[in-house]
Amino acid sequence: MKRMGFALTLAAVLLPLAYKAIRKHRSTRKPVVVLDMDVVAERSLPGRAAAQYIKTVRNILQRNVEEVRLAYQGREQTPEAIRAITQAQSGYQQQLALYQKKLDNEIGDIVGAAVRSWLAKNRQVAAVVPADETLGYNKNADITRQIMAEVDWYKPSFPPLPRSRANRNSL
């Protein structure tokens, strides 16, 4: 019974202090803003450049697969042809995934640098979170356009394009 009385007394003293601390925190809390990464990737200059680059990579790699198929035209069902075509298709998928990862990392680095630069200018903001990781947000919290303006100042650095089979064979 003594313990319960002590707990109630402690709660009676601490509850107003906790309430006061919460109110103070709410009044000094920095806002959190959101960034729509899909819009940045699709509409920013580096994002559009990356999309065009990966399209070119895909075309070169697909041509390489087609060249292997043409080399075995008329004998596609031979074990050698099946192996070569399967190997070319596998190489296409692996290389495309590797290039895509490199591009994603490059664009991610650019967006990260742009966000850090924006945050340095906007110290009243606590954090920038991806829009698709929220349950919802007020449109006033969306800073996508502002970040895109920062992102557009960066020039992406892409890896060299893959060589086509025709260029490799002529070397």
Side-chain angles (χ1 to χ4, degrees), residues 48-119:
R48 291 189 310 222
Q52 184 59 46
Y53 178 86
I54 200 69
K55 183 178 178 183
T56 302
V57 167
R58 186 178 287 119
N59 288 340
I60 292 170
L61 295 174
Q62 186 61 43
R63 262 191 310 234
N64 289 344
V65 172
E66 290 305 316
E67 287 175 11
V68 170
R69 282 191 178 126
L70 285 173
Y72 289 97
Q73 191 172 16
R75 48 193 177 112
E76 294 91 353
Q77 299 306 317
T78 64
E80 181 185 351
I82 292 171
R83 188 175 337 104
I85 293 169
T86 302
Q87 188 175 27
Q89 289 171 333
S90 176
Y92 165 85
Q93 291 170 348
Q94 289 172 357
Q95 281 190 299
L96 187 60
L98 181 64
Y99 275 92
Q100 186 65 57
K101 183 177 181 182
K102 287 179 181 180
L103 289 182
D104 291 347
N105 289 341
E106 177 69 15
I107 298 302
D109 290 347
I110 289 172
V111 172
V115 166
R116 286 189 299 279
S117 172
W118 186 88
L119 281 171

Side-chain angles (χ1 to χ4, degrees), residues 34 136-144 146:
V34 296
Y137 57 91
N138 183 317
K139 69 178 182 176
N140 295 332
D142 188 351
I143 61 162
T144 302
Q146 296 169 32

Side-chain angles (χ1 to χ4, degrees), residues 138-158:
N138 183 317
K139 69 178 182 176
N140 295 332
D142 188 351
I143 61 162
T144 302
R145 286 185 182 194
Q146 296 169 32
I147 296 298
M148 276 187 26
E150 292 277 340
V151 166
D152 285 347
W153 283 98
Y154 290 85
K155 179 158 176 41
S157 172
F158 301 139

